[in-house]
Amino acid sequence: MIPRAKSWGLSVTRFAATSIATRLFVSSAAACVVILTVAGLVLTALYRDTAEAALDEQLGVYLRALVADIAAPRDDSSEAGQLAEPQFELPLSGWYWQITRLDVSPADIRASRSLFASRLPRLPDSAAVPGLDGRRSGEIVGPDNKPLRMLERVINAGDQGHFLVQVAATTQTVDGQVAQFEIDIGVTFFLLALLLVAAMAFQVRYGLRPLRQLRRDVVAVRRGQAEGVAGEFPQEIAPLAEELNLLIGANREIVERARIQVGNLAHALKTPLSVIVNEADAEDSPLARKVTEQAEVMRDQVKFHLDRARAATRAGAIGASADPAAALAAMARAFGKIYPAIDLAVDCPDGLRFRGEKQDFDDMAGNLIDNACKWAKSEVRVAVEAPPHGGGDRIFLRLTIDDDGPGLAAERREEALRRGRRLDESKPGSGLGLSIVTDLAGAYGGRLDLGESPLGGLRAGLTLPALPED
């Protein structure tokens, strides 16, 4: 079981790795929900305070009316304390008044008809809140065990006596008003939240549009469709675009310098080797023949390693790509003239692109096709396909070359890929062709494998990085 702190840390890490748009949207939506919730609670509390204050104000009016009625002079036939309000006449209506004379024993109590046979208790000192003119307010439990809001006041009416005047009303009305207000504000804030979320989604999408444009420009550079990042960007993104262009330019300069240095080295070595070979050819002796033989080996090795160096620099270049269909069509025409007796067929769909230098693709495919034509009896088949994407960051294409020649035994196929090994001295060449293809494919993250062909000869399978189709 993962500890809670560790689990929380993993959740935070996963959230931090999500897209900027998701992080902005989620954080903004969470802030919106929190703000609207707090605002709803505050408004509900304010509304409740306002409703309770309005109820207290209404009760205060009735309390003052009862006090004024008691204090007013009257004849003996009239009774003090009357309110001509219908809600005080209906039994258990939730609106009550009660007048208790305190200076007689037993206490004389007069009450509204709405109290029916019940009586209002006096507010305890611990729950009473003192107010103006000596009145007190508080909450009590009234008839039918319903909560009541009550105001009371003790007055001295002189000769008429001392009285406790009480007015109470149910709080259910206030609670109902507050509940309805909560529903109304909840629906209103929910609709407002939906509008705010939609506005935030639009804002995030619109605000991050320059980043999507920058990504498309970088993809175009990587595919070889553009020389650099172009376009107008906001001031926050423009420095990044400029730095990317500088990085792309620096990469091209490094590759170009490496090409020049490799070319200079090739020219510097060719001249001494040519001199050695020419001097050795001028004499007919065992030593001269050995020098010529080893000089040719040196020339092949130098060419091989220079080709590897050039491939390594080209493989690191940004934005290089090649069209396999066009390159293989040109090779088919060339090899058709060199090997007229061989039926060479090429099947390559349009739209595939090799992610690398055209010269390297020509070297790899050319070596394999040339090797197949040398050993084939009458037929060579070349096919290119895009294997199903495995879900990784890179996609590949596969070049398959089949011939109907003698083929190779399983134990000799690995030996054929080793650098400098010759399987048959009767065929022309240095023996470095397959090794060059292996090294070039490895420089690009691909591979070369040999197997048995359906035509009866050798099958060479070359897997190379590709660009996604547009």
Side-chain angles (χ1 to χ4, degrees), residues 328-347 365-366 368-370 372-373 376 378-383 400-403:
L328 291 175
M331 291 181 200
R333 291 191 295 269
F335 285 114
K337 297 178 181 179
I338 299 174
Y339 303 99
I342 301 298
D343 179 16
L344 177 59
V346 176
D347 179 16
L368 294 177
I369 295 175
D370 182 52
C373 291
S378 61
E379 185 178 3
V380 172
R381 294 289 179 264
V382 180
T400 304
I401 302 172
D402 295 301
D403 64 68

Side-chain angles (χ1 to χ4, degrees), residues 28-73:
S28 300
C32 175
V33 170
V34 171
I35 292 173
L36 291 179
T37 302
V38 172
L41 295 176
V42 171
L43 289 177
T44 301
L46 292 176
Y47 184 83
R48 177 177 289 277
D49 292 342
T50 302
E52 290 178 350
L55 180 61
D56 285 351
E57 181 65 24
Q58 189 173 4
L59 291 175
V61 171
Y62 293 142
L63 181 65
R64 289 193 297 270
L66 288 173
V67 170
D69 189 58
I70 293 173

Side-chain angles (χ1 to χ4, degrees), residues 21 204-217:
V204 169
R205 184 171 182 82
Y206 178 77
L208 296 181
R209 187 167 62 181
L211 288 178
R212 292 193 295 272
Q213 179 61 42
L214 181 62
R215 177 181 178 274
R216 287 192 291 267
D217 290 348

Side-chain angles (χ1 to χ4, degrees), residues 102-312:
L102 302 176
D103 57 345
V104 295
S105 182
D108 182 18
I109 299 176
R110 296 190 302 274
S112 63
R113 292 181 180 178
S114 57
L115 267 174
F116 203 47
S118 302
R119 291 293 180 262
L120 295 176
R122 191 165 184 174
L123 282 173
D125 294 336
S126 59
V129 178
L132 299 176
D133 302 328
R135 69 182 182 183
R136 303 192 308 170
S137 62
E139 306 284 342
I140 64 169
V141 178
D144 291 343
N145 292 322
K146 293 182 179 179
L148 299 177
R149 178 74 175 172
M150 187 169 71
L151 267 64
E152 66 179 22
R153 180 182 175 185
V154 177
I155 64 170
N156 185 0
D159 294 340
Q160 298 186 38
H162 288 76
F163 297 90
L164 172 64
V165 183
Q166 297 171 298
V167 181
T170 179
T171 59
Q172 289 181 338
T173 303
V174 174
D175 294 338
Q177 292 174 350
V178 173
Q180 184 61 43
F181 180 79
E182 289 177 344
I183 294 174
D184 294 341
I185 202 171
V187 173
T188 302
F189 277 13
F190 177 75
L191 295 177
L192 180 60
L194 292 180
L195 292 176
L196 289 176
V197 167
M200 285 185 293
F202 173 78
Q203 181 181 12
V204 169
R205 184 171 182 82
Y206 178 77
L208 296 181
R209 187 167 62 181
L211 288 178
R212 292 193 295 272
Q213 179 61 42
L214 181 62
R215 177 181 178 274
R216 287 192 291 267
D217 290 348
V218 172
V219 170
V221 172
R222 177 174 58 84
R223 293 182 178 182
Q225 299 170 347
E227 293 293 327
V229 176
E232 296 292 333
F233 295 97
Q235 59 182 2
E236 294 84 3
I237 308 291
L240 176 60
E242 183 178 355
E243 291 297 328
L244 284 174
N245 282 329
L246 293 176
L247 177 63
I248 294 169
N251 178 270
R252 289 198 177 106
E253 290 179 2
I254 292 173
V255 172
E256 188 61 28
R257 284 198 301 268
R259 287 176 178 174
I260 294 174
Q261 292 172 0
V262 169
N264 292 338
L265 178 60
H267 287 294
L269 292 175
K270 283 181 180 179
T271 301
L273 286 175
S274 298
V275 172
I276 292 174
V277 172
N278 292 336
E279 292 295 327
D281 289 340
E283 298 184 12
D284 185 12
S285 65
L287 176 60
R289 287 192 294 273
K290 178 59 69 174
V291 169
T292 300
E293 177 188 342
Q294 294 303 313
E296 291 296 336
V297 172
M298 290 174 62
R299 180 178 292 172
D300 291 337
Q301 294 294 329
V302 168
K303 182 179 182 300
F304 171 76
H305 287 289
L306 290 178
D307 287 341
R308 289 190 63 184
R310 279 194 293 265

